[in-house]
Amino acid sequence: RHSSDSESEPEEEPSSSEEEKEEPKQETGKSSASDLNTAEKPEEGVKKAVANQQPAGPSVPVCQAASNRPPRKPAVFIPVDRSPEIQEARLKLPILAEEQVIMEAVSENPIVIICGETGSGKTTQVPQFLYEAGYASSNGAIGITEPRRVAAVSMSQRVAKEMNLSDREVSYQIRYEGNVTDETQIKFMTDGVLLKEIQKDFLLSKYKVVIIDEAHERSMYTDILIGLLSRIVPLREKKGLPLKLIVMSATLRVEDFTDNNRLFSVTPPVIQVDARQFPVTVHFNKKTPLDDYSGECFRKVCKIHRMLPPGGILVFLTGQAEVHSLCRRLRKLTVIPLAVFVGGDDDKEESVEEIRKFKKSRKRKKVMALPKIDLDNYSVVPVDEGDEDRDAETDDDIAGSDIDLDLGDGDSEEDEKSDSSLPLYVLPLYSLLAPEKQAKVFRAPPPGTRLCVVATNVAETSLTIPGIKYVVDCGKVKKRFYDKITGVSSFRVTWISQASANQRAGRAGRTEPGHCYRLYSSAVFMDFEKFSAPEITKRPVEDLILQMKALNIEKVINFPFPTPPPTEALAAAEELLIALGALKEPPMMGRLTQQLAAKLSCPISPLGRIMATFPVAPRYAKMLALSRQHNCLPYTITIVSAMTVRELFEEFDRPAVSEEETAKLKGKKARLLQMQRIWAGQGPMQMLGDLMVMLGAVGACEYAGCTRKFCEENGLRYKAMLEIRRLRGQLTTAVNSVCTDAGLYVDPKMKPPTEAQATYLRQIVLAGLGDHVARRVQAEELLDDKWKNAYKTALLDDPVFIHPSSVLFKQLPEFVVYQEIVETTKLYMKGVSAVEPEWIPALLPPYCHFGKPLENPPPSYCPETGRIRCHRPSVFYRVSWQLPAVEVD
Ligand code: CDP
Ligand code: MG
């Protein structure tokens, strides 16, 4: 049975498109890089890898030929004590059939690429294969990188459980947080963590194997790691301590790695894991809904639930707020699962009695008839008269969750007539969701219910949810878009790529034939781009360049990127880093074109080295490096943490669904504005602007014990506050590791800064934010009305404005620095602080244009250079450039 609105005949979902099945190319050996020396060094008694000598069929992985050979006995076998259930589940995974092929390829080649559908078992099983074959047993660990923090944590826990080992042996490390010990044998980490480790130990000597997971996602750090490892592997080979590199991808689109003679001198073998993918029938919508794809998802889930046989439903939406709102609507239809019914901070499950009481206190129309389920056994509460939604996840997003949603939506008939005999068990899934809540999607739903997971893109490849038979795909994804040069960013919801659409559809065919409902027409699908572009080509790269320079890679332009970033992005990044003082300025910089500048090999400066040790963006890292004076460090650490975590405050300008909610939101917004005025401080402190508000908010929250209650009452995002607390701890550790004598201890409850400290902080922020200076357009400069209250920046020709949410929105100081510019209806500056004009030439000479000395000249913009024109001031430098002592060898 197909739902009635299918436009086209159901079509088979192709398991992978032809153009993905790229044949690994024969390496011609014309590699230009001289240090690429991966001369094969076959291990004793092992036949040379067949991989690079045999022509392979289009989709036939070269290594599969190996399976025809008699099985080779592994030299080492470390037994693992798995429970029978785990063992049984493992045996069902497609990758188990390829264990021999994979392990032979790994033993015979320094670099191996494994491609296998999401859910085929790559992430959880390959580390176990390696462990059993002894790769982790003696003085070396198995390292696995993930682009997402959630995957690193959840996969380490999963693998530990499967192997019956503790988190001391199978551990994770994300930023400065983790549970790695001396006994760690398998280590999951984010790709950024491994990059930092390469800075400390270029040869990665504590690893025997490095696995780069989710390489198809082409995250910036994954790409750069593959480039670096292409050099590290041959170096380790030369030293006689071979390192194995395994690149794992969910798609077969790996030609950027295999067909890239700058990357690997010998094309690595590609092993394809044949996932047992069942056919998925794809249904396109006749029409593509313009805006209300969330409502369309709701109707589709209702229809599936009402008309189609049992099987889990997975809905793809774009963001956390959307996910919660759909969960809320769906839960009204059904039951409140006990398992996700949480109360208070500690997520403890409420007793059935309490839930009953709660439900009795609500009045609501009966939505659907449900079977009686034994509460004690099944943790499922049947809907009784007057069930009301209460979002179980107690997430900030759903603070106003007891609003009476009108289920009708013009489609009321079908919504309310649901006659399915199963209740829906609705779970949200997105990357910021707490891990223990995420873990729920992996467990079987309570008997007698139908699982419905409402997810963002995380469910596309990183996490596989068992038992999904129906996929509802809105066709959109929320992404942050950057201007490559100015770094101006905006969040936009855009269409996904065809590859993503196919990945999403594939989620429906893991255990049996399934259906995918695409909420867009086939014509729209044909217009999707084939693949999404690698991240490195789409965002500013200054943090990357700084990390690479810290590795003494000076000629970044010659680096073997799988896909190189655009030259203008490289040039912009180098220019910024030079201006921040992180790179040594090359001679004659001003006269060279941007392209030439990018080719220049500016070495890193001592300041840059310190900056590179902090796990934050270079601008923020500079603030930290400058703050070891006047006891400013605790404040800078807090400001930098808050700016890194972003979005501290609740968004109350969302559309409300009822008058009651509108009033509620208005009240909350007024309360937040009032609090922000208090947090902004008084007198000179106010000039620190939004950054003072951040300090005040974090301080107040910590004084109140950082509770969810305090956050909810005052319009703060609880999750952001927790993350800031964590990051403050991490940055303190980082600062202490650079300045070993600092002995810094960040008191969570810090006192407000003194007036003098607030002034120093403004100078530190100015020095760090550098090019983010803006000057108010003066009355006489007004070109036309669109410039009213506008600011001019060094980077943009267009007028920019202080964001209405800023505490400086009405004050309009002459010179400000901003954290970022976001584009919504206009270009808005967020995170604004006021600065004094005379500080600019003192702290940011590269951004100034020095004219003839005049009597008290007002600084102005130079129209030709776009820089601030002023003369070198006589004011003494109030911020001394005190750096902790560094040893440079
Ligand atoms: O990496 P890949 O996508 O190839 O698969 P995987 O993440 O290793 O997952 C293999 C199987 O383990 C899937 O069927 C997952 O549903 C299951 N799994 C699980 O049950 N619980 C977890 N925490 C992680 C994975
Ligand atoms: Mg995986």
Side-chain angles (χ1 to χ4, degrees), residues 36 72 109 115 124 266 325 334 428 643 737 758 774 776 779 824 837 841 858:
L36 272 183
R72 205 170 48 90
N109 299 275
C115 298
T124 52
V266 177
S325 129
T334 69
M643 293 203 291
S737 72
R776 201 180 69 228
T824 52

Side-chain angles (χ1 to χ4, degrees), residues 371-407:
K372 270 249 173 291
I373 300 172
D374 184 344
L375 295 184
D376 299 319
N377 288 345
Y378 295 130
S379 312
V380 174
V381 186
V383 168
D384 49 21
E385 287 274 354
D387 172 55
E388 173 52 273
D389 162 71
R390 163 152 167 203
D391 192 293
E393 299 301 327
T394 50
D395 192 89
D396 316 0
D397 272 345
I398 40 99
S401 64
D402 41 16
I403 321 136
D404 200 4
L405 268 177
D406 175 16
L407 279 181

Side-chain angles (χ1 to χ4, degrees), residues 215-220 223 253 256 479-481 484 495-500 529-539 563-564 566:
H216 61 276
E217 280 197 22
R218 303 300 305 276
S219 86
M220 185 171 83
D223 267 21
R253 187 186 171 230
D256 282 345
K479 273 195 195 154
R480 198 181 178 93
F481 285 83
K484 283 192 269 303
W495 290 113
I496 55 176
S497 65
Q498 291 186 357
S500 286
E529 54 179 359
K530 279 208 150 42
F531 301 98
S532 26
E535 187 189 6
I536 201 168
T537 61
K538 290 189 301 194
R539 49 162 287 180
T563 307

Side-chain angles (χ1 to χ4, degrees), residues 475-521:
K476 307 255 176 144
V477 67
K478 189 193 271 172
K479 273 195 195 154
R480 198 181 178 93
F481 285 83
Y482 295 91
D483 183 299
K484 283 192 269 303
I485 295 156
T486 61
V488 173
S489 72
S490 54
F491 272 109
R492 275 182 249 157
V493 172
T494 60
W495 290 113
I496 55 176
S497 65
Q498 291 186 357
S500 286
N502 292 340
Q503 277 290 339
R504 289 180 176 189
R507 311 293 87 229
R510 300 296 315 145
T511 39
E512 56 176 319
H515 294 267
C516 172
Y517 295 89
R518 290 180 173 165
L519 304 185
Y520 41 90
S521 67

Side-chain angles (χ1 to χ4, degrees), residues 330-502:
L330 289 169
R331 281 188 182 135
K332 277 174 195 278
L333 280 178
T334 69
V335 296
I336 298 179
L338 236 199
V340 292
F341 203 98
V342 290
D345 283 346
D346 47 2
D347 282 10
K348 74 173 190 301
E349 294 181 4
E350 289 188 10
S351 75
V352 173
E353 232 6 81
E354 275 171 286
I355 295 174
R356 280 212 178 103
K357 253 193 255 157
F358 168 72
K359 287 146 82 58
K360 276 208 182 113
S361 68
R362 305 274 163 167
K363 280 195 223 94
R364 207 169 179 283
K365 237 183 347 173
K366 182 169 178 175
V367 179
M368 68 194 255
L370 292 162
K372 270 249 173 291
I373 300 172
D374 184 344
L375 295 184
D376 299 319
N377 288 345
Y378 295 130
S379 312
V380 174
V381 186
V383 168
D384 49 21
E385 287 274 354
D387 172 55
E388 173 52 273
D389 162 71
R390 163 152 167 203
D391 192 293
E393 299 301 327
T394 50
D395 192 89
D396 316 0
D397 272 345
I398 40 99
S401 64
D402 41 16
I403 321 136
D404 200 4
L405 268 177
D406 175 16
L407 279 181
D409 264 17
D411 213 356
S412 57
E413 232 184 302
E414 83 181 20
D415 291 346
E416 310 240 334
K417 243 181 19 196
S418 183
D419 57 16
S420 164
S421 58
L422 292 178
L424 266 187
Y425 178 68
V426 184
L427 293 176
L429 181 67
Y430 49 86
S431 51
L432 287 177
L433 190 67
E436 65 277 11
K437 290 178 189 168
Q438 273 178 358
K440 280 181 195 142
V441 303
F442 296 117
R443 288 184 221 136
T449 62
R450 186 205 286 268
L451 177 68
C452 176
V453 178
V454 184
T456 60
N457 223 25
V458 282
E460 194 178 297
T461 59
S462 302
L463 304 173
T464 301
I465 305 152
I468 296 298
K469 186 172 165 65
Y470 307 99
V471 164
V472 177
D473 172 18
C474 76
K476 307 255 176 144
V477 67
K478 189 193 271 172
K479 273 195 195 154
R480 198 181 178 93
F481 285 83
Y482 295 91
D483 183 299
K484 283 192 269 303
I485 295 156
T486 61
V488 173
S489 72
S490 54
F491 272 109
R492 275 182 249 157
V493 172
T494 60
W495 290 113
I496 55 176
S497 65
Q498 291 186 357
S500 286
N502 292 340

Side-chain angles (χ1 to χ4, degrees), residues 21 49 90 152-153 192 196 203 215 225 266 359 363 370 379 387 424 605 633 675 683 752 759 764 815 818 874 881:
K21 297 178 180 169
R90 282 184 85 217
V153 179
K196 282 262 184 296
L203 292 179
L225 279 176
V266 177
K359 287 146 82 58
K363 280 195 223 94
L370 292 162
S379 312
D387 172 55
L424 266 187
S605 67
L633 263 173
M675 291 311 292
T759 306
I764 287 166
F815 277 95
Y818 56 87
S874 54
W881 293 63

Side-chain angles (χ1 to χ4, degrees), residues 22 145 185 331 334 379 476 478 482 613 647 789 801 884:
E22 193 60 32
T145 69
Q185 309 243 23
R331 281 188 182 135
T334 69
S379 312
K476 307 255 176 144
K478 189 193 271 172
Y482 295 91
T613 60
E647 315 299 340
N789 291 342
F801 298 86

